[in-house]
Amino acid sequence: KSVQWHNLYNLRTYPILTHWKKEMTNLNQTIVATTFFLFFACIAPAITFGAIYAKATGNWIGAVEMITATAWCGIFYALFGGQPMMINGGTGPVLAFSGVLYSLSKSMDVPFLTFNAWVGLWIALYMCIAAFVDLNKVVHYATRFTDEVFALLISVIFIINALGNPFSPVGIYYYLESDHKSHDKWEESTDYSYMATAFLSLILCLGTVALAFQLKKIKFSPYGPNQLTRNVIFDFAVVASIIIMSVIGNVLFSSVETETLNVPDTFAPTYACCNVECDSNWPLDCEGQAQPYRYRPWLVNLFDLNGKTYVPFMAAAPALLAFILVFLDDGITWHLISHPSHKLKHGAAYNYDTLIIAFMIAINSMLGLPWLVAATV
């Protein structure tokens, strides 16, 4: 019954703002461990996707925007979402779509963020319409097989990108190639060995996963002085594995250079302007300029159309394709989360959450932030 139309007009019967109440009033080690785990699970992809976004969008969207969107959307959805177990984050399909929008905006000679904002606003409108006509009922036709295949597909994409993507030079495998771009930073250093970097990166990658699995097994083993100790190790297995391998890589083997996440130093938009018009990117377009003139404003100007008054209406077409992508990604993830085997007590809220996602996409579009969808894994 909770997945029907009444979720939109009878919200007083739905336990909004209560999902976190028990956890916040009963703080324990499991909650602390889960919080640290989710922090690493969110911040690492945010920084990574942010760097890829910067390349795909000409620095209009970057790591700062990705971290900002992940932070505010995560907090907002956790407090107001109907199914806050879902984690919103960047995904490959949405990133690829943003890259296409950037290329399209350049071909139309329209500012990218303005075009992106109009597309995002249309997506939000489509999401609201989908919620009001109960389009989410289509998702209920998906079987458990469909859900698991979808989750497997996303998982395989992450695993392949970590080990070695056959279609792009991303993954541990490419560290073994001497001409990989990750080695360019130290190509003039006489002490640098790309094979040592590749070998250590491989050890850290596989070691983190293996150590986490082994620490998880301790809960059901005879090791440790008592069950409480084993439970603590079990809860903090992933966090401990990340910390231990980070210490090994940065302390024990500090002389071996490894590629790290490029964390921004300041909180400011990624796009730095060469002039007051902000139509050129510093320092790429003005190498002789010591400092940027300013950074692009946070609020996107919806009417900076460069004379192309048809853009707000034309944006409805690509927005329809993006809507299908966002709607199915979120819907199948909600369906997977709400499976009876998970024994959730709050019930589902498909239509209500569709409105929440629409609101977040609209805000992100207006601020020049990336659209976040369900991070299925």
Side-chain angles (χ1 to χ4, degrees), residues 17 21 36 42 67 73-74 88 90 97 105 125 129 149 163 194 207 229 240 265 270 277 279 283 292 321 338 354 372:
L17 283 173
K21 183 177 180 180
F36 277 106
C42 292
I67 295 173
C73 288
N88 291 281
F97 190 86
S105 68
L125 177 61
I129 295 174
V149 168
L163 298 180
Y194 79 91
T229 303
D265 298 325
T270 303
E277 290 82 9
D279 54 4
L321 300 177
S338 302
T354 301
L372 302 188

Side-chain angles (χ1 to χ4, degrees), residues 137-157:
K137 61 186 178 183
V138 176
V139 178
H140 296 287
Y141 289 104
T143 63
R144 184 62 184 268
F145 176 77
T146 305
D147 295 340
E148 294 296 344
V149 168
F150 180 77
L152 177 63
L153 173 64
I154 303 299
S155 301
V156 168
I157 291 175

Side-chain angles (χ1 to χ4, degrees), residues 93-94 97 122-123 126-127 130 135 139 150 317-332 373:
V94 176
F97 190 86
W122 276 105
I123 295 174
Y126 292 147
M127 295 288 283
L135 189 60
V139 178
F150 180 77
L320 182 60
L321 300 177
F323 158 72
I324 296 173
L325 176 65
V326 173
F327 179 79
L328 290 179
D329 197 337
D330 287 333
I332 293 178
V373 297

Side-chain angles (χ1 to χ4, degrees), residues 43-372:
I43 192 65
I47 297 174
T48 304
F49 270 104
I52 303 175
Y53 260 103
K55 295 179 181 179
T57 63
N59 285 327
W60 285 109
I61 297 177
V64 174
E65 287 82 2
M66 192 70 203
I67 295 173
T68 303
T70 303
W72 96 261
C73 288
I75 295 173
F76 182 81
Y77 191 74
L79 293 177
F80 296 97
Q83 300 172 104
M85 300 74 66
M86 185 187 81
I87 300 175
N88 291 281
T91 61
V94 176
L95 168 61
F97 190 86
S98 297
V100 173
L101 289 183
Y102 176 69
S103 300
L104 189 58
S105 68
K106 290 186 66 177
S107 65
M108 296 190 304
D109 193 24
V110 176
F112 165 68
L113 290 183
T114 302
F115 183 51
N116 183 76
W118 279 111
V119 173
L121 292 177
W122 276 105
I123 295 174
L125 177 61
Y126 292 147
M127 295 288 283
C128 291
I129 295 174
F132 278 100
V133 301
D134 195 19
L135 189 60
N136 285 286
K137 61 186 178 183
V138 176
V139 178
H140 296 287
Y141 289 104
T143 63
R144 184 62 184 268
F145 176 77
T146 305
D147 295 340
E148 294 296 344
V149 168
F150 180 77
L152 177 63
L153 173 64
I154 303 299
S155 301
V156 168
I157 291 175
F158 275 95
I159 294 173
I160 290 177
N161 284 335
L163 298 180
N165 191 324
F167 304 106
S168 61
V170 177
I172 296 297
Y173 166 77
Y174 292 97
Y175 289 139
L176 297 169
E177 298 182 353
S178 59
D179 58 346
H180 188 253
K181 61 181 181 180
S182 63
H183 305 307
D184 294 346
K185 184 178 179 180
W186 299 283
E187 61 181 355
E188 297 181 359
S189 175
T190 57
D191 298 329
Y192 180 72
S193 170
Y194 79 91
M195 286 301 295
T197 296
F199 187 58
L200 180 59
S201 299
L202 179 63
I203 292 176
L204 296 178
C205 175
L206 300 181
T208 302
V209 178
L211 182 59
F213 275 112
Q214 292 301 317
L215 293 178
K216 283 283 187 182
K217 293 179 180 179
I218 289 182
K219 180 178 180 179
F220 308 101
S221 71
Y223 302 107
N226 50 50
Q227 189 60 43
L228 176 60
T229 303
R230 290 190 287 269
N231 289 340
V232 172
I233 296 176
F234 174 84
D235 290 336
F236 288 89
V238 176
V239 178
S241 178
I242 294 174
I243 294 176
I244 290 173
M245 286 300 165
S246 297
V247 171
I248 291 176
N250 292 280
V251 178
L252 297 183
F253 294 94
S254 58
S255 60
V256 180
E257 302 289 352
T258 55
E259 190 176 21
T260 57
L261 295 174
N262 186 19
V263 183
D265 298 325
T266 57
F267 182 75
T270 303
Y271 195 90
C273 311
C274 292
N275 50 39
V276 65
E277 290 82 9
C278 204
D279 54 4
S280 54
N281 185 209
W282 180 88
L284 299 178
D285 301 329
C286 46
E287 297 181 358
Q289 191 170 323
Q291 296 293 333
Y293 184 86
R294 66 183 178 95
Y295 291 93
R296 66 100 172 166
W298 279 108
L299 188 63
V300 176
N301 183 1
L302 291 176
F303 302 101
D304 183 16
L305 303 172
N306 200 19
K308 312 294 195 306
T309 55
Y310 61 85
V311 168
F313 307 98
M314 175 266 182
L320 182 60
L321 300 177
F323 158 72
I324 296 173
L325 176 65
V326 173
F327 179 79
L328 290 179
D329 197 337
D330 287 333
I332 293 178
T333 303
W334 290 328
H335 193 248
L336 187 64
I337 291 173
S338 302
H339 192 271
S341 63
H342 295 150
K343 300 179 181 180
L344 301 181
K345 298 180 180 180
H346 286 275
Y350 289 81
N351 293 326
Y352 171 76
D353 273 354
T354 301
L355 292 179
I356 294 294
I357 297 297
F359 175 75
M360 293 193 301
I361 289 179
I363 296 298
N364 285 359
S365 300
M366 295 292 294
L367 296 177
L369 305 179
W371 308 323
L372 302 188

